[in-house]
Amino acid sequence: MFSYELPDGGLRARCYINSEGDIKFDPPVYEQRYTTAVRILEDSRWGHKFKKVVDFGCADMRLLSLLRRVEGIEQILEVDIDEDILRSNKLRAEPLVSDYLKKREGPLRVELLKGSIDASVEQLLNVDAVIALEIIEHLYPKTLENVPKNIFGFMQPKIAIFSTPNSEFNVLFEPLLENGFRHDDHKFEWTRTEFKDWALNICQKYHNYSVAFIGVGDAPPDKKDIGYVTQIAIFARNDLLDRSLTEPFSSEVPVDCDPDADVQYKEIFAVDFPYNRDERSKEQKILDEARYQIDRCRRIDRYFNRDLGVYQVPLTVLKDFIETLGASMQELLAILKENDIEVKGDYIILPEYDEDDLSYRHYDDCYDDEYGLWNDVGCNDDETENDDELGACGGYSHTKDDATYDSEENWD
């Protein structure tokens, strides 16, 4: 097990009894479940972005509108056994007008797939995150038995989020349905102990996973002992928790799953969202980012070494920017060397003036209107005692006296 709390103090929700004696939740419990799942995925504690996510038992896909806004997600599989409900809610998977007006920074593909949560199919390979909200209580015993085999034995995601009703809360729901549950399709409803036992048994069999328990839907103040209306288990792969993995990973189908290797989910609909495509190579992105930051630093006085007459920009200035591109400092140094950008020790060395920056031209390199060229003749035809204080066409030079240096405006 591991301990987990939602970031930023958790959800702000309340439970109350209305004038007719019915228990109510604000916001509704389904919204609390969706919001909680998204906040778990967005939690910075994982130090990872989940690129491929599957939403099992997606039904009318109301969670999708939140999922597709999670930074880093590039593929969402909306999976349900009911083909009709997928088709009738297909519009919810399509891009909005705003998606075309303001395009995403990265790709996103949404697929609606008909299939069962216990089927080990190729489409589920390389899934980073599994969401299974309020689905296990709808499963028949054999299907439920195969769920851990498929998810933790075959898929092996980094994180899996399960929710299910807490039957101890049912004392506040009266009357229940004829089957004794909250929904006519429920096959069971577990107490907190039963749910905990189910989850811990999974971790005992699949040693690379640990589990934490939370819930949504508070009970009234005088009923806190019954727990939450919805109980949630968060399974995290141990490497996500900076713990050692005890078993090697394999992309092969486990023998005890006994799936049909040719079985695939039926694709109902698929769509690629518009996004701003960056066709540059990784090396070009690194070089462009480095040049941008270098140019920015040339305008910052604290990086200028007056004794040497050069800018000394710490390599650490580029570190965070380069890491966002998935690059290392070794890659950066190699690219700087290839492009004749000088590095000494921990600093990038820049000349005082960039030869492409006209605002920093020396006064002897003024522009000749007659010939349309820069020449070596000073701008001032008359030699005066003030010539030494002027840069290009009256511009500023760092090499002049302190008064001139201090009067330079800091453009950073």
Side-chain angles (χ1 to χ4, degrees):
M1 291 181 58
F2 69 98
S3 177
Y4 183 81
E5 293 182 359
L6 286 175
D8 302 323
L11 299 178
R12 292 169 177 80
R14 68 189 184 100
C15 172
Y16 62 95
I17 307 297
N18 67 11
S19 58
E20 298 177 353
D22 298 324
I23 187 168
K24 297 293 181 182
F25 300 90
D26 182 21
V29 176
Y30 76 88
E31 290 187 6
Q32 296 186 43
R33 286 194 292 264
Y34 295 161
T35 301
T36 297
V38 168
R39 293 184 68 180
I40 292 171
L41 294 184
E42 292 180 326
D43 194 337
S44 60
R45 73 169 286 171
W46 312 120
H48 182 86
K49 302 299 183 185
F50 304 106
K51 292 185 177 181
K52 185 175 181 179
V53 179
V54 58
D55 177 16
F56 284 119
C58 63
D60 55 7
M61 294 179 285
R62 281 186 282 187
L63 174 59
L64 177 59
S65 62
L66 299 179
L67 272 183
R68 68 189 188 91
R69 290 176 170 81
V70 176
E71 183 181 353
I73 291 182
E74 297 181 356
Q75 186 176 7
I76 301 173
L77 307 181
E78 294 288 297
V79 178
D80 202 281
I81 198 66
D82 189 334
E83 181 175 340
D84 291 337
I85 199 169
L86 290 173
R87 291 190 181 280
S88 62
N89 289 279
K90 182 176 73 72
L91 282 175
R92 290 188 173 175
E94 295 184 355
L96 304 173
V97 173
S98 58
D99 291 313
Y100 291 94
L101 296 176
K102 185 178 181 181
K103 295 181 180 179
R104 299 169 54 89
E105 292 302 315
L108 174 64
R109 180 174 178 81
V110 176
E111 301 176 34
L112 311 189
L113 304 170
K114 177 190 176 182
S116 176
I117 188 175
D118 69 332
S120 300
V121 299
E122 185 179 358
Q123 290 113 312
L124 297 179
L125 291 174
N126 302 314
V127 163
D128 295 308
V130 168
I131 299 175
L133 305 181
E134 307 298 283
I135 182 175
I136 59 174
E137 65 273 10
H138 293 270
L139 305 178
Y140 288 102
K142 184 60 177 176
T143 305
L144 180 63
E145 180 183 344
N146 287 332
V147 166
K149 300 176 185 179
N150 185 38
I151 294 178
F152 304 103
F154 173 63
M155 298 172 60
Q156 303 172 358
K158 295 180 175 67
I159 195 168
I161 304 167
F162 284 83
S163 79
T164 193
N166 169 21
S167 65
E168 297 169 70
F169 208 97
N170 287 352
V171 295
L172 299 182
F173 295 131
E174 292 188 4
L176 294 171
L177 301 179
E178 291 184 2
N179 62 2
F181 302 135
R182 304 178 193 175
H183 192 283
D184 56 11
D185 187 53
H186 284 184
K187 309 302 186 290
F188 62 85
E189 289 177 1
W190 282 336
T191 64
R192 285 171 289 176
T193 298
E194 290 171 323
F195 185 49
K196 184 176 181 179
D197 288 344
W198 176 77
L200 291 177
N201 285 335
I202 289 175
C203 295
Q204 288 176 3
K205 184 173 182 179
Y206 301 98
H207 299 141
N208 282 332
Y209 287 89
S210 300
V211 65
F213 300 94
I214 61 173
V216 297
D218 288 303
D222 60 338
K223 299 287 185 180
K224 291 294 185 182
D225 59 318
I226 65 176
Y228 295 97
V229 65
T230 293
Q231 48 191 336
I232 297 174
I234 305 167
F235 294 88
R237 211 170 67 188
N238 285 333
D239 54 343
L240 203 63
L241 302 170
D242 295 325
R243 298 177 180 177
S244 299
L245 298 175
T246 58
E247 299 174 351
F249 285 113
S250 172
S251 60
E252 297 180 359
V253 178
V255 294
D256 60 350
C257 284
D258 193 26
D260 182 343
D262 295 328
V263 168
Q264 294 285 302
Y265 285 156
K266 180 179 179 181
E267 184 178 286
I268 305 303
F269 177 71
V271 61
D272 292 300
F273 278 60
Y275 73 100
N276 293 316
R277 297 176 183 269
D278 191 341
E279 304 294 344
R280 294 175 298 166
S281 67
K282 181 180 179 181
E283 291 74 16
Q284 188 62 48
K285 291 178 183 178
I286 295 172
L287 178 60
D288 290 346
E289 184 63 43
R291 282 176 167 165
Y292 171 80
Q293 297 301 331
I294 287 171
D295 183 68
R296 181 181 67 85
C297 290
R298 186 180 262 114
R299 303 297 193 271
I300 301 177
D301 288 338
R302 66 177 177 273
Y303 295 136
F304 186 70
N305 186 320
R306 298 181 63 206
D307 293 333
L308 300 178
V310 297
Y311 285 89
Q312 294 178 308
V313 179
L315 284 167
T316 52
V317 170
L318 297 179
K319 184 174 183 294
D320 290 342
F321 298 100
I322 296 306
E323 287 181 349
T324 62
L325 300 175
S328 65
M329 291 301 289
Q330 289 72 21
E331 289 177 283
L332 171 64
L333 290 172
I335 291 171
L336 293 178
K337 182 178 180 180
E338 290 174 5
N339 290 273
D340 299 321
I341 299 175
E342 185 180 1
V343 176
K344 286 185 179 180
D346 296 328
Y347 296 91
I348 298 171
I349 306 301
L350 308 175
E352 180 178 1
Y353 306 116
D354 185 341
E355 61 183 9
D356 295 325
D357 187 348
L358 304 187
S359 67
Y360 285 91
R361 288 283 183 175
H362 190 269
Y363 73 94
D364 283 339
D365 294 328
C366 289
Y367 191 74
D368 190 317
D369 288 325
E370 180 178 355
Y371 295 99
L373 299 170
W374 290 94
N375 57 41
D376 294 329
V377 180
C379 288
N380 298 324
D381 293 334
D382 299 326
E383 295 184 3
T384 69
E385 61 181 2
N386 293 327
D387 283 350
D388 290 339
E389 297 179 2
L390 298 177
C393 299
Y396 166 75
S397 170
H398 272 296
T399 58
K400 306 309 171 187
D401 58 45
D402 290 344
T404 307
Y405 177 85
D406 291 339
S407 66
E408 170 69 352
E409 184 174 357
N410 183 356
W411 292 100
D412 178 52

